[in-house]
Amino acid sequence: MTKSPKKGGPTDSLACEQWLAVLDELNIGAFTVNLGHQITAINHCAQALIGLRAGEVVRKDCREVFTGVPCMVSCIIGGGNGKTNGSTVHVTDEEKQEHLITRMATPIYDLHHNVTGCLTILQDHSPVSDLIDRLRYEERSMKNILDSLDVGVFTTNRGGLITFFNTAAERISGYDRTNLLGRHCKEIFAPSEGDPASPVEEAIRKNTVFHGLEGRLHESEGGIIPIRANYAALRDEREVVVGGLVTFQDLTLVHQLNQAIRGRYTCRDMIGKSPAMQKIFAMIPAVASSDATVLIQGATGTGKDILAKIMHDAGPRASKPWVKINCAAIPDSLIESEIFGYVKGAFTGADRDKPGRFQEADGGTIFLDEIGDLPLTLQAKLLRVLEEKVFYPLGSRRTHKVDVRIISATNRRLEQLVKTGQFREDLFYRLKVLRIDLPPLADRRGDLPLLIRHILHKLCAARGEPPLAISNRAMGILLNYKYPGNVRELENILEHALILCAKGTIRKSHLPEDLTATATPPPTPEIDARKNTTPENESENIAATLSKFYGHRGRTAKSLGIDRTTLWRKMKRYGL
């Protein structure tokens, strides 16, 4: 009986030729070398990267030819460890452009598991622009190579069930591949309107390729990630479609840049799966389409200004002006002229007419932030604008009529201000035709893992870096902190940690000192004689699993082999 190779390298020259063509489709350079260090084949991408044609290198000694790509890996032919390995080097192509190249090598075996040469990969650190057109996806060595790419890659069978999910895909989506293998690809794709089928299913059905489609991916904790993806039917060596392949890139940074340019917000900019937040998200379409005044109440840092902008952008006035006024930031002596404007001669130095913010917002929306700090003298004037849509600029005897929608927000309880005479009761009732209360972060602690992941993803994308991991201890501190400054404080804490951490894993030492100083120490371990283990070990195991699944209790319980109620009791016992 022929002995099958135990390792994952190529097993014949035909497979090597197929792989070189496959890697060409991915814009990845590759070449093969025999035991005599002679180059036996080289694909077009490798030729372009090193600036040499196939006729100039085939049958030549690899150690002499690739002077621009020094062999810094452990030589497989020369007695290395026989494992796929790599290094990063700089090369200059034929157009004198410098590239940062990752060089990886994997052995080539014959049918008796004897090394007959090696396959070397030259991966340019640039976006993958095309798809794999042809791939023997069951080969373990090829999966190892795909796992090392900086772009997300996953494969499915003909039924759309996921069969492979690489490390970059895990990092972008937040999923652990062990929880996705065997599940349908629809579970991770946010469906397009009116198109229930996923693009990869269409590619499989039509035996074709779709390039550069923009879409949305469900991340592990329920958020949405914008992606640009390529979809291809996956064929075996007999040209039979055996599944599909997807390569995708995270467009979060592009989304943020476009958002900054447009100044537009969507519900994606607010994160939360708690009942209170889901109730608010469900209200937004109806509230946005209305012209009624809205009062948003919530503590500092809960995102009142973002919610107000979302409602403007989702409504019929989205293309009209959006004007924001912070009533607490303008001195009392200036606020009337700032809001309502003034005419020439209204006061010393008023040498020309100046329109106010209400005139600037005509046709659009005006957002009165910190409305609870508006002076009593202006509250009557604001009430008239609400009721009649007219006002007098400072020093004018003529009214101005405006068509504006008013959204106001405050971190103070207006009911209490009404009782103490600091806020007009009639204005209060006129402002709160629609009222939304944003809960503090302390009341939605179940959203913390999701928020931490989302904010880290956003901050790292802005820095052009992959999301960093968080140690169990640091995650425990973040999950147990009270956050008096709410989401804004959480953002500041994570940005502080990223600056100090730079690379690797965020640890306790990277968090602000005032945060770690108030952290609750872990409980004192006690021996559990029945299981011959300690609660400390169990606590660490639960904490590590919670961190792995970003606090998702259902997946954590399933991974630990316990039910959710048992997990909840143990978390409460260990203060997790």
Side-chain angles (χ1 to χ4, degrees):
M1 182 180 293
T2 302
K3 182 179 180 181
S4 299
K6 295 181 180 179
K7 296 187 180 180
T11 56
D12 54 50
S13 59
L14 177 60
C16 289
E17 291 176 6
Q18 290 177 335
W19 288 7
L20 293 179
V22 163
L23 293 168
D24 251 336
E25 292 296 325
L26 268 176
N27 282 349
I28 296 175
F31 63 91
T32 56
V33 178
N34 63 20
L35 289 178
H37 292 281
Q38 288 183 323
I39 298 167
T40 56
I42 182 169
N43 71 356
H44 295 292
C45 288
Q47 294 174 49
L49 283 172
I50 65 175
L52 295 172
R53 301 303 177 191
E56 299 175 89
V57 299
V58 173
R59 302 180 187 277
K60 301 292 180 63
D61 192 305
C62 65
R63 294 167 295 186
E64 298 176 2
V65 172
F66 291 96
T67 55
V69 191
C71 195
M72 298 171 64
V73 299
S74 175
C75 184
I76 293 167
I77 297 173
N81 57 20
K83 297 180 180 179
T84 300
N85 49 51
S87 62
T88 301
V89 295
H90 290 270
V91 300
T92 302
D93 65 15
E94 54 189 353
E95 297 179 354
K96 307 302 181 183
Q97 297 294 319
E98 189 177 77
H99 297 261
L100 181 63
I101 304 297
T102 295
R103 173 174 178 155
M104 295 170 287
T106 188
I108 300 174
Y109 300 101
D110 63 17
L111 293 178
H112 301 287
H113 194 57
N114 298 313
V115 175
T116 61
C118 81
L119 170 69
T120 297
I121 306 299
L122 304 176
Q123 183 196 345
D124 190 356
H125 285 245
S126 58
V128 176
S129 59
D130 295 314
L131 284 170
I132 292 180
D133 179 54
R134 191 177 170 84
L135 175 65
R136 294 180 62 184
Y137 74 104
E138 67 274 9
E139 292 285 358
R140 178 182 167 193
S141 181
M142 181 57 75
K143 289 186 178 181
N144 289 339
I145 292 170
L146 294 179
D147 210 28
S148 68
L149 300 180
D150 291 332
V151 65
V153 179
F154 71 87
T155 61
T156 72
N157 62 16
R158 286 180 60 89
L161 302 182
I162 296 172
T163 57
F164 173 75
F165 206 74
N166 80 340
T167 301
E170 286 185 307
R171 184 180 67 243
I172 293 170
S173 67
Y175 287 104
D176 186 307
R177 71 185 74 182
T178 58
N179 293 314
L180 280 182
L181 297 180
R183 290 167 60 181
H184 201 280
C185 62
K186 284 184 178 179
E187 295 188 39
I188 64 172
F189 282 114
S192 302
E193 292 184 10
D195 186 10
S198 66
V200 66
E201 290 178 295
E202 284 292 297
I204 293 171
R205 186 173 63 84
K206 297 179 179 180
N207 190 12
T208 188
V209 176
F210 300 124
H211 296 273
L213 301 184
E214 292 194 8
R216 300 182 303 157
L217 196 72
H218 286 297
E219 63 178 1
S220 60
E221 289 298 329
I224 299 294
I225 301 172
I227 61 169
R228 179 179 290 117
N230 301 318
Y231 307 87
L234 198 59
R235 299 186 290 272
D236 64 12
E237 63 275 5
R238 297 171 297 171
E239 296 297 322
V240 176
V241 175
V242 293
L245 180 137
V246 181
T247 64
F248 63 94
Q249 296 169 288
D250 185 358
L251 294 185
T252 299
L253 180 56
V254 176
H255 170 85
Q256 291 171 357
L257 292 174
N258 290 339
Q259 174 183 289
I261 293 169
R262 297 193 310 265
R264 300 289 293 274
Y265 288 79
T266 67
C267 286
R268 187 179 181 277
D269 299 289
M270 294 195 77
I271 299 295
K273 60 181 180 179
S274 63
M277 294 303 295
Q278 289 299 310
K279 182 179 179 181
I280 291 173
F281 295 158
M283 292 172 58
I284 287 176
V287 174
S289 62
S290 166
D291 246 1
T293 55
V294 180
L295 174 63
I296 305 172
Q297 293 194 153
T300 299
T302 50
K304 298 184 294 295
D305 53 342
I306 294 178
L307 179 57
K309 188 66 165 63
I310 286 173
M311 288 189 290
H312 169 75
D313 290 339
R317 296 176 181 261
S319 60
K320 302 298 182 179
W322 161 262
V323 177
K324 176 181 176 180
I325 304 172
N326 189 325
C327 300
I330 305 174
D332 290 356
S333 58
L334 299 177
I335 193 166
E336 181 176 1
S337 61
E338 185 70 22
I339 294 178
F340 298 112
Y342 56 82
V343 297
K344 181 178 179 180
F347 51 84
T348 304
D351 55 356
R352 57 185 174 83
D353 292 352
K354 181 181 182 298
R357 298 295 184 88
F358 267 94
Q359 287 170 274
E360 293 174 3
D362 193 17
T365 304
I366 191 164
F367 175 49
L368 302 175
D369 197 11
E370 305 302 347
I371 188 70
D373 293 287
L374 189 70
L376 273 170
T377 53
L378 282 184
Q379 291 179 21
K381 202 166 186 178
L382 176 60
L383 180 62
R384 186 179 184 190
V385 178
L386 283 167
E387 293 177 340
E388 302 176 18
K389 304 296 183 183
V390 296
F391 64 91
Y392 285 97
L394 187 64
S396 175
R397 295 182 180 180
R398 294 171 49 194
T399 60
H400 281 257
K401 188 172 183 65
V402 288
D403 172 25
V404 294
R405 183 187 191 180
I406 296 177
I407 301 177
S408 56
T410 180
N411 63 356
R412 307 174 70 180
R413 303 306 298 182
L414 293 188
E415 300 94 327
Q416 296 298 323
L417 296 180
V418 169
K419 290 179 181 179
T420 58
Q422 296 174 272
F423 203 86
R424 291 179 62 111
E425 185 176 20
D426 49 1
L427 177 59
F428 170 59
Y429 288 115
R430 193 66 182 81
L431 287 172
K432 70 160 194 165
V433 174
L434 291 167
R435 174 171 163 176
I436 299 175
D437 289 302
L438 274 176
L441 197 48
D443 290 350
R444 43 185 288 231
R445 304 192 70 83
D447 287 341
L448 269 173
L450 179 59
L451 283 166
I452 291 170
R453 170 171 169 74
H454 172 76
I455 294 170
L456 270 182
H457 195 87
K458 180 177 69 173
L459 294 175
C460 289
R463 295 156 61 102
E465 300 172 354
L468 300 186
I470 304 178
S471 71
N472 297 336
R473 183 62 177 139
M475 180 63 84
I477 293 172
L478 290 172
L479 293 178
N480 286 285
Y481 183 57
K482 301 296 184 183
Y483 296 103
N486 295 293
V487 179
R488 185 182 295 125
E489 183 181 13
L490 175 59
E491 289 181 340
N492 293 339
I493 288 170
L494 292 175
E495 187 169 7
H496 176 281
L498 281 177
I499 292 171
L500 295 186
C501 180
K503 294 181 179 180
T505 300
I506 295 175
R507 304 192 181 279
K508 177 183 176 182
S509 58
H510 299 132
L511 300 177
E513 290 185 7
D514 56 345
L515 180 65
T516 56
T518 59
T520 305
T524 304
E526 299 175 358
I527 300 297
D528 186 339
R530 292 173 297 175
K531 295 184 179 180
N532 194 26
T533 186
T534 65
E536 182 180 34
N537 293 336
E538 184 177 49
S539 173
E540 290 179 354
N541 186 32
I542 293 174
T545 310
L546 280 167
S547 177
K548 178 180 179 181
F549 295 112
Y550 292 94
H552 193 290
R553 295 186 185 182
R555 293 177 186 147
T556 298
K558 183 177 180 181
S559 178
L560 294 171
I562 58 179
D563 59 44
R564 290 172 63 97
T565 56
T566 302
L567 174 63
W568 182 84
R569 287 196 301 269
K570 290 180 181 291
M571 289 174 64
K572 188 174 181 181
R573 182 192 309 165
Y574 300 130
L576 298 176

